[in-house]
Amino acid sequence: MARFRVLLTLLPVAYALSVPFPYDSGQAIFTGNQPADLPHPDPTHSFWTHSPGANPLAGEGSTGELTDNADVCIIGSGITGVSAAYHLANSIQHGTFPVAQGTNQVLRAVILEARDFCSGATGRNGGNLTPYEFSRFRKQEALFGREAALRLYALERYSASEMARIARTAGWADAVDLVEGGHMDVLFTEEVLQEAKADFEAAVAAGKTLNVTWLDRDEMNSTYGTHNLGARTPGYNVWPLKFVTQLFKQARKVTPALDLRLHTRTPVTRVSPLAAASLRRWELTTPRGAVQCSYVLHATNGYASHLLPHMAGSGPTGIIPVRGQVMAMRANAPLDALSKISWADSVGYWFPRPVADAEAHPLVILGGARESAGSPFEMGVTDDSVVNATVGGVLRALLPTLFPGLYAPGREPEAEWTGIMGYTALGIPFVGPVLDTSDAEGEDSDAYKGQFIAAGYHGHGMPRTFACAEVVVQMIAAELSDREWVAPAWFPRPFLTSVRDKLE
Ligand SMILES: Cc1cc2nc3c(=O)[nH]c(=O)nc-3n(C[C@H](O)[C@H](O)[C@H](O)COP(=O)(O)OP(=O)(O)OC[C@H]3O[C@@H](n4cnc5c(N)ncnc54)[C@H](O)[C@@H]3O)c2cc1C
């Protein structure tokens, strides 16, 4: 405990807040409104992307002939873009996505990726697949109303449990290191505990079913070796890139009626309208040539405003690129002593990786501490080719201080990297048709007709992206079938692009 107090005195006061992810600290401080750059061509190497054999699709479709036209063009090969391809395949298979446009009744979809396959946030994140159970419930309810708040949690539960179910059913849960170990929020003080309990009670009062175990200091100390309070909820951890790779392969196998292509190392530099008489609506410019598309899905998250400059800045319709940092640190104890849980406190988030040998000391994936970078807290940054030394220093000190003896003080990580998240003013993503509500013609304008977006997950995309991609695919299917899109029961309306500028 004494050691822990030392840590707290070293850290800014903001760390006393109970915030499992770097949720919205400093958002108001950021005033930049420049569109994001393209992804940096030479990013840091993450454990996920650069472990031997981990990224078999890294350079897929990066040479040879470029697909010159497609029914659906997906920009970005992270979990959003690949989930969209997966939903497209399944919707075609189930007859809910019409295939009338392409030749020979085959729908052609192409994923265009600026760098290696899945080398954005999904290939560089903390690997936590944690649907929020009650965290921040009062704030969500105040912002969006009770029904939408409940749906926000329902979407995360749906998304995470579907991902786990698919991996299990398809038989690749072990291959992607899916661990259903639960999640623990470490709560430093009684005040933080009371705040958490107030959110818990507000969620109960709203009618949410909850699965939470509260642990006192003694239980936490005797079971996990940290003298803090704890709240345990359901949760998973996973090797995100391996999950996305399997999902992509599965999407290709579902139906011969989908011709799914992938071109990595092919940045899209512009989206321009084609003449009304053309077969397709949009032309994507890339250094390798042009791709003509009927529908375009922006699955570019933190980089979205590069192609959609009206979505730059910290306003209600903006997505800000924000740099996060993660490392792979070897523990000083076997997995049994650490537990398979994924953890978070107000400084960072971490989990021990699975091990084949019970005596081995696992690698722990540890991220966060963005606030220690100082204002503007890595906001407006798209350069993931370097790490931040201050953030790295706080992360290195975190676990040896929280778990005396289980981690070696002064030990250097085996890998350290950065990645770019997409933050939004309200902490929730944009899902739906691309709209420019600042345009004089307003949201009814057809200026972007056929372009859709699912992006801006605010550093918490793992339990959100899969469901958001599903919704966008359903929207395109509805438009193609000339029927009204009906929202799934778990979908929160505030995520819609069409309502966003009216929420503040
Ligand atoms: C350091 C870090 C830690 C995180 N930890 C967690 C965590 O533990 N749990 C959690 O839930 N979430 C976490 N997140 C957030 C999570 O990773 C993201 O929300 C999620 O991966 C977003 O997926 P995506 O597919 O939308 O975006 P991305 O994975 O970023 O994919 C977008 C892709 O688009 C490509 N692209 C961009 N512009 C273009 C263009 N013009 N042309 C072609 N391609 C383009 C990019 O190269 C990128 O590959 C973390 C994020 C970071 C960066």
Side-chain angles (χ1 to χ4, degrees):
M1 184 55 190
R3 302 181 71 160
F4 177 60
R5 282 212 188 90
V6 172
L7 175 68
L8 271 186
T9 58
L10 292 174
L11 299 173
V13 176
Y15 289 152
L17 300 171
S18 169
V19 185
F21 280 96
Y23 222 152
D24 57 6
S25 49
Q27 185 94 1
I29 285 165
F30 184 74
T31 52
N33 57 6
Q34 290 302 308
D37 290 331
L38 276 174
H40 194 285
D42 186 20
T44 45
H45 291 182
S46 85
F47 168 81
W48 310 120
T49 55
H50 279 73
S51 289
N55 197 357
L57 298 172
E60 169 108 352
S62 58
T63 55
E65 205 176 327
L66 182 71
T67 302
D68 63 1
N69 79 94
D71 300 287
V72 181
C73 295
I74 300 170
I75 311 176
S77 68
I79 186 168
T80 301
V82 172
S83 296
Y86 172 85
H87 291 302
L88 203 51
N90 281 284
S91 306
I92 292 170
Q93 175 72 354
H94 296 132
T96 53
F97 197 103
V99 182
Q101 297 215 326
T103 49
N104 303 326
Q105 303 297 300
V106 170
L107 187 122
R108 182 183 294 168
V110 61
I111 300 181
L112 297 155
E113 166 56 51
R115 306 192 293 204
D116 286 1
F117 179 71
C118 196
S119 61
T122 312
R124 327 179 65 74
N125 69 20
N128 298 281
L129 176 56
T130 310
Y132 285 148
E133 188 71 359
F134 64 89
S135 176
R136 297 167 59 84
F137 191 87
R138 289 168 299 161
K139 178 156 188 191
Q140 309 290 15
E141 190 174 22
L143 278 174
F144 309 123
R146 180 166 287 188
E147 188 175 81
L150 286 169
R151 285 188 173 140
L152 190 148
Y153 294 84
L155 177 143
E156 295 196 7
R157 190 176 282 187
Y158 166 78
S159 214
S161 58
E162 270 299 282
M163 287 169 65
R165 184 192 63 76
I166 289 164
R168 270 190 245 107
T169 310
W172 38 262
D174 288 343
V176 304
D177 285 348
L178 179 75
V179 176
E180 310 195 32
H183 175 81
M184 183 81 79
D185 279 312
V186 180
L187 311 169
F188 294 158
T189 64
E190 278 298 325
E191 291 74 30
V192 174
L193 174 69
Q194 291 319 316
E195 285 293 306
K197 286 208 163 156
D199 275 324
F200 170 84
E201 276 149 24
V204 171
K208 187 177 186 315
T209 49
L210 288 161
N211 182 349
V212 186
T213 308
W214 302 95
L215 290 95
D216 64 23
R217 288 186 196 277
D218 289 342
E219 285 169 293
M220 287 285 277
N221 201 26
S222 59
T223 316
Y224 303 112
T226 185
H227 202 259
N228 283 289
L229 302 154
R232 187 169 176 166
T233 54
Y236 312 83
N237 57 70
V238 67
W239 188 312
L241 167 61
K242 288 193 174 178
F243 182 92
V244 170
T245 303
Q246 291 294 342
L247 202 65
F248 178 80
K249 289 182 176 167
Q250 197 157 328
R252 268 196 169 153
K253 279 193 291 205
V254 170
T255 169
L258 176 66
D259 170 10
L260 175 60
R261 301 171 180 205
L262 168 64
H263 291 292
T264 61
R265 302 173 192 162
T266 308
V268 176
T269 54
R270 199 165 156 219
V271 183
S272 13
L274 286 163
S278 314
L279 173 67
R280 309 293 192 190
R281 280 194 191 116
W282 297 102
E283 181 166 274
L284 309 188
T285 306
T286 84
R288 300 177 56 201
V291 188
Q292 300 197 345
C293 318
S294 299
Y295 286 90
V296 176
L297 170 58
H298 295 260
T300 45
N301 202 35
Y303 306 97
S305 65
H306 184 79
L307 296 172
L308 300 169
H310 67 277
M311 296 191 79
S314 57
T317 56
I319 297 179
I320 309 171
V322 178
R323 184 168 62 193
Q325 192 156 320
V326 179
M327 56 179 56
M329 178 68 86
R330 185 72 57 189
N332 207 29
L335 188 59
D336 261 6
L338 306 173
S339 88
K340 291 182 177 171
I341 295 173
S342 70
W343 299 74
D345 65 12
S346 51
V347 181
Y349 43 89
W350 64 95
F351 73 88
R353 296 229 338 101
V355 281
D357 169 5
E359 294 306 310
H361 293 182
L363 260 188
V364 175
I365 305 297
L366 161 69
R370 182 173 58 81
E371 287 84 346
S372 63
S375 179
F377 307 114
E378 307 284 79
M379 294 191 182
V381 180
T382 50
D383 182 0
D384 56 3
S385 71
V386 289
V387 296
N388 181 310
T390 308
V391 173
V394 174
L395 288 176
R396 281 167 176 75
L398 179 63
L399 298 183
T401 317
L402 269 185
F403 299 93
L406 298 182
Y407 296 89
R411 182 170 286 175
E412 279 298 298
E414 296 183 17
E416 186 173 17
W417 62 92
T418 47
I420 308 304
M421 307 177 276
Y423 270 42
T424 66
L426 292 175
I428 53 173
F430 293 95
V431 181
V434 173
L435 302 168
D436 184 356
T437 48
S438 64
D439 187 303
E441 292 177 65
E443 70 190 54
D444 294 332
S445 158
D446 275 352
Y448 293 91
K449 193 160 176 51
Q451 290 191 47
F452 287 77
I453 185 166
Y457 302 99
H458 214 82
H460 183 57
M462 289 298 286
R464 293 177 161 181
T465 42
F466 183 81
C468 292
E470 180 173 344
V471 163
V472 167
V473 168
Q474 288 174 358
M475 286 176 169
I476 299 174
E479 191 175 302
L480 276 172
S481 323
D482 207 16
R483 58 181 162 75
E484 205 177 322
W485 168 72
V486 180
W490 41 257
F491 186 72
R493 303 305 182 272
F495 282 22
L496 289 173
T497 48
S498 56
V499 303
R500 205 48 169 275
D501 64 321
K502 304 178 187 77
L503 286 177
E504 280 210 329

